[in-house]
Amino acid sequence: MPNHNKQNLPNVVSLTGGLWGRRTKDSVVQWVMRVSDDLLLNGFKHRPGVQAWIGEHAGKFLDGALLINLLLDDCALWDKIDYIAQGVIDNQEADGYIGTYLPETRWLRNTGEGWEDPNCSWDLWVFKYCVLGLLHYYEIRKDEKALEASRRAIDLLIEVFGENGEKNLNLTDSHGGLASGSVLEAVMKLYGFTGEKRYLDFGKRIVKHYWASDTEGTPYLTERITDPAQLRSIGNGKCYEMMSCFVGLLEYAYYSGEMEYIEQVITVRDNIALYYKQLNGCMSIHEKWGRQYIFSERDFLENCVAFAWIQLNTRLFEMTGDSRCIGYIEETAYNHILVSMCPEASAWEVYTTLTGPKNYVFWSQIPGSDPLFGATKELPHNEAPMTCCHTNGQRVLGLVPHYVYSMQEDVISVNMLFAAEAIFELGSGKKVKLSQQTDFPRSGCSILTITADEPIAIRLRMPSWATTMRVGGRVYSADEPIVLEAQSGETCYNIDVEMKLRLLSPGYVNRGKYGIAYGPLLLAIDSCPDGWCYDEIVLAINKKDIFDNVKLEEENGWPKLTVAAYRVPDGIGELKWSNIPDSLPRAEVYLRPLMFAGLTDNRAFSQRYEDSSLSYHRKQDTAEYRVLYPCFFLY
């Protein structure tokens, strides 16, 4: 059902440079094209697959590769996409089954006393990703076989879990119904393409029946969604699967017209941001929610959770136009996604922390390929590792650029500073092209070029971390709407967003510690003064004018901050404010963007992404780093 705030995305988007563009292009070479076709398809060709959730990777690969290749239009990648999509379609069974299990292990359940087979509890999750990948493929490549395969897959689910089915959807996964319930997104996407009522009815059954409080095995999703204290008691509290259900609920609300569910998802999104989100824009303790307020700088933050948070906010933005969504996307993209990505783009960290070091070890969840799962050697040099976090990291690379620009009723918005160009078609049939030349986030400068067939107004979002923005010689404050007028032909605007230092306080279990950001970039210390350790560092900050005593300079074009610090060893006695400068050793420490923290001698490779003469290897050790530190606030 149409929504008056619906944001439309461009007809064409392409990357024109910048750090994001370079990382995306390198990733195609180093990871996307190296992912084994056999790894993606053998679970369907030769059931059972080597792993319970092996089938998810084909659909997620398709979704991410399609998003990326809409930006790059790489012929070899189109060939690989076609091959994987046809492989999934060709190996669908006659009854519509599109998973990787043998007949006797499909749709198994938790009997209350244990699982019939705990290694076979991901069928609907795999169906979801296969259908999402095929529907995206159908949308882009116009292959009717992909749509028909999606129909047959969901028709089988309706037969098994619909009103006349014999199985309970809630009892077919090991995450309290969250993994299986997340198939709602695929069901509603299929309804959007076909308009066939049985798919809307099945979506309604998931929301109204399986998520109802009186249904056996319910995850209590719609009942507990707005209470931050109960978030961890929805299903089994697993973040990635739960936010995938929220995305499905948004799709259901949009197509059913039951818009109250959008309000519920907005509420839970706001609660997550307030009570669970860390300074780098991610939120999880390993893979689950903790208790509200209780998160630590040492928590392992899952890359899949960062993806799901970004995806949730992209869908909310499309449906509401709320610019806060873009702020959350930007924060997580630069301070988690690019941080978790190996600088030479061949691997991703599964878990990222606010205290390092980083671990880009070339590992995979596939049995036999990683020491964590009992392996003794790496994958072959020309193959890529595979984890859920690799495929989701890849999806983010392709997803974010599609939200740089948007349009609502012929009013176009520039939502992010980003080296990308896009083309919109207006209701009149006339076209508008937007292009940015920018090195953001190294600086807040961009040259926006608007090429229009007719005069048009362009809205420009001011980032949430900025207080002023200079556009075409005029300075705007944070509370002023920015509307740019463009004439027929080409119009250029110089944009300069003020990049300021910000002192951030996470509070709660980290009370007494602070982080520092420069514009959107979270900073970290990755080396200690001689003889010191990280636990002894206390930053010296002015009480009145906080950053008056720091020095901000450039390092390969990126910010490098020099801050005075005191050494406070363990076991020190009572401190008297009057003699801190005299009684404690003092030195300077350096803070750099978190995405470069710990890279030591290889930092220049990551920072100077234009310089092809530099090199880096994923197996090289990274140094310790920290984001949060106590501060002395001095007069």
Side-chain angles (χ1 to χ4, degrees):
M1 180 175 179
N3 181 319
H4 71 279
N5 287 320
K6 181 73 167 64
Q7 302 292 306
N8 296 308
L9 303 183
N11 301 93
V12 178
V13 182
S14 60
L15 296 172
T16 58
L19 178 66
W20 197 276
R22 176 60 186 268
R23 289 287 190 271
T24 302
K25 292 171 184 176
D26 283 350
S27 185
V28 168
V29 174
Q30 298 284 358
W31 191 81
V32 177
M33 295 305 297
R34 289 185 176 183
V35 170
S36 167
D37 296 346
D38 289 339
L39 176 61
L40 293 172
L41 294 176
N42 275 351
F44 302 96
K45 292 179 178 180
H46 310 290
R47 296 180 175 94
V50 298
Q51 179 195 71
W53 60 91
I54 189 68
E56 74 167 344
H57 298 307
K60 289 166 67 177
F61 174 85
L62 281 176
D63 186 55
L66 284 161
L67 285 166
I68 285 174
N69 225 23
L70 287 172
L71 306 171
L72 302 182
D73 196 22
D74 182 289
C75 292
L77 182 51
W78 284 127
D79 289 343
K80 187 178 180 76
I81 289 169
D82 290 340
Y83 182 80
I84 299 303
Q86 295 305 319
V88 174
I89 294 168
D90 291 346
N91 288 281
Q92 186 175 26
E93 295 190 355
D95 65 353
Y97 184 80
I98 206 168
T100 61
Y101 298 165
L102 295 173
E104 61 271 21
T105 58
R106 295 171 190 174
W107 326 124
L108 299 185
R109 57 168 284 162
N110 188 339
T111 63
E113 298 179 356
W115 283 92
E116 293 175 297
D117 187 335
N119 295 316
C120 297
S121 59
W122 292 93
D123 255 344
L124 280 89
W125 180 259
V126 169
F127 265 58
K128 174 187 75 169
Y129 277 118
C130 286
V131 171
L132 288 175
L134 291 178
L135 287 176
H136 200 175
Y137 182 75
Y138 164 72
E139 181 182 16
I140 303 305
R141 303 296 269 177
K142 309 303 180 188
D143 188 332
E144 291 288 340
K145 291 187 297 182
L147 180 62
E148 181 57 25
S150 300
R151 275 197 182 98
R152 293 172 58 217
I154 300 302
D155 285 346
L156 176 60
L157 296 189
I158 293 172
E159 181 182 333
V160 175
F161 300 102
E163 189 172 356
N164 298 317
E166 297 181 354
K167 298 287 187 178
N168 182 335
L169 179 148
N170 292 332
L171 302 179
T172 59
D173 71 44
S174 56
H175 297 295
L178 296 179
S180 293
S182 73
V183 77
L184 177 63
E185 179 189 0
V187 173
M188 298 316 303
K189 287 281 191 181
L190 180 59
Y191 173 72
F193 281 109
T194 67
E196 295 173 19
K197 185 174 180 293
R198 67 184 181 276
Y199 303 129
L200 179 60
D201 289 344
F202 186 46
K204 184 175 183 178
R205 179 168 174 80
I206 293 173
V207 174
K208 306 289 189 179
H209 172 68
Y210 284 117
W211 291 351
S213 59
D214 58 352
T215 301
E216 183 184 8
T218 178
Y220 296 101
L221 191 134
T222 52
E223 179 179 326
R224 298 176 178 175
I225 189 172
T226 57
D227 184 348
Q230 294 201 70
L231 200 60
R232 62 201 297 261
S233 68
I234 296 174
N236 72 338
K238 200 164 187 294
C239 306
Y240 172 24
E241 284 78 358
M242 191 185 302
M243 285 196 281
S244 297
C245 289
F246 297 157
V247 170
L249 189 58
L250 286 177
E251 299 291 348
Y252 174 76
Y254 179 72
Y255 287 113
S256 70
E258 298 176 44
M259 309 308 278
E260 65 272 17
Y261 289 121
I262 292 181
E263 295 303 319
Q264 288 188 356
V265 175
I266 291 172
T267 298
V268 72
R269 190 280 311 274
D270 292 347
N271 286 337
I272 292 169
L274 180 62
Y275 299 116
Y276 297 91
K277 181 172 67 67
Q278 299 240 29
L279 294 185
N280 72 330
C282 192
M283 61 294 293
S284 64
I285 299 178
H286 280 93
E287 298 175 4
K288 294 187 178 183
W289 306 110
R291 294 191 301 276
Q292 62 186 96
Y293 305 117
I294 308 301
F295 48 78
S296 163
E297 63 179 303
R298 297 185 182 276
D299 289 338
F300 289 89
L301 306 171
E302 191 192 20
N303 208 38
C304 288
V305 175
F307 160 78
W309 175 247
I310 288 175
Q311 182 193 34
L312 178 64
N313 278 285
T314 60
R315 295 302 291 129
L316 271 175
F317 175 73
E318 284 186 63
M319 294 183 183
T320 68
D322 183 354
S323 64
R324 291 181 302 164
C325 301
I326 300 296
Y328 292 134
I329 292 166
E330 186 178 74
E331 175 185 52
T332 310
Y334 288 112
N335 296 303
H336 184 104
I337 296 299
L338 290 189
V339 171
S340 68
M341 185 180 186
C342 181
E344 46 86 70
S346 67
W348 303 77
E349 283 193 297
V350 171
Y351 300 116
T352 297
T353 62
L354 298 184
T355 60
K358 298 169 183 173
N359 182 3
Y360 299 121
V361 172
F362 200 51
W363 72 286
S364 175
Q365 287 178 327
I366 307 306
S369 63
D370 179 74
L372 186 63
F373 291 84
T376 58
K377 61 182 181 180
E378 282 194 354
L379 292 171
H381 176 71
N382 63 341
E383 290 189 17
M386 179 69 75
T387 71
C388 53
C389 293
H390 284 71
T391 45
N392 275 334
Q394 199 63 26
R395 293 168 80 194
V396 175
L397 287 181
L399 184 64
V400 170
H402 291 280
Y403 293 83
V404 173
Y405 310 104
S406 62
M407 180 173 70
Q408 180 192 359
E409 298 179 350
D410 278 2
V411 178
I412 296 175
S413 297
V414 178
N415 302 313
M416 288 181 267
L417 300 186
F418 208 100
E421 64 181 30
I423 298 174
F424 289 90
E425 184 172 328
L426 305 177
S428 64
K430 301 292 182 65
K431 293 185 177 180
V432 179
K433 178 181 177 181
L434 294 94
S435 179
Q436 291 187 70
Q437 291 179 277
T438 178
D439 64 352
F440 184 82
R442 287 203 289 194
S443 78
C445 298
S446 179
I447 300 173
L448 173 66
T449 301
I450 306 161
T451 307
D453 291 343
E454 61 184 32
I456 189 169
I458 305 290
R459 292 185 298 200
L460 183 61
R461 165 187 166 265
M462 182 179 294
S464 55
W465 43 263
T467 54
T468 63
M469 177 185 284
R470 181 181 294 274
V471 185
R474 177 181 169 183
V475 177
Y476 293 84
S477 62
D479 57 352
E480 288 183 271
I482 305 174
V483 180
L484 311 179
E485 300 295 333
Q487 303 304 312
S488 299
E490 186 173 286
T491 307
C492 292
Y493 282 95
N494 288 312
I495 300 170
D496 189 1
V497 185
E498 187 179 25
M499 302 270 276
K500 280 192 170 183
L501 291 165
R502 297 178 291 138
L503 190 67
L504 309 175
S505 174
Y508 312 128
V509 76
N510 294 310
R511 191 178 303 279
K513 292 185 177 181
Y514 299 85
I516 297 177
Y518 179 66
L521 298 173
L522 191 60
L523 306 181
I525 299 173
D526 61 359
S527 62
C528 286
D530 288 344
W532 294 27
C533 68
Y534 286 92
D535 283 330
E536 298 174 336
I537 295 174
V538 178
L539 302 181
I541 303 294
N542 280 6
K543 188 172 184 179
K544 184 177 181 181
D545 299 309
I546 292 178
F547 294 115
D548 268 7
N549 64 335
V550 306
K551 182 172 66 175
L552 184 64
E553 55 191 338
E554 286 191 358
E555 178 182 67
N556 295 317
W558 293 88
K560 175 185 174 183
L561 188 66
T562 303
V563 181
Y566 291 100
R567 183 183 185 187
V568 183
D570 288 343
I572 195 168
E574 180 182 356
L575 293 173
K576 295 183 179 180
W577 290 99
S578 59
N579 68 1
I580 283 176
D582 298 325
S583 61
L584 297 175
R586 177 170 172 157
E588 291 182 331
V589 294
Y590 307 104
L591 287 84
R592 300 178 173 90
L594 179 57
M595 70 178 77
F596 309 126
L599 297 181
T600 57
D601 293 341
N602 294 294
R603 187 180 299 116
F605 172 88
S606 193
Q607 291 177 328
R608 292 168 59 185
Y609 51 82
E610 313 96 332
D611 190 342
S612 60
S613 67
L614 299 172
S615 63
Y616 176 84
H617 195 281
R618 62 181 175 266
K619 293 174 69 174
Q620 291 179 269
D621 291 336
T622 57
E624 187 175 355
Y625 65 84
R626 298 233 180 137
V627 168
L628 297 177
Y629 289 91
C631 294
F632 287 149
F633 292 92
L634 308 176
Y635 290 101

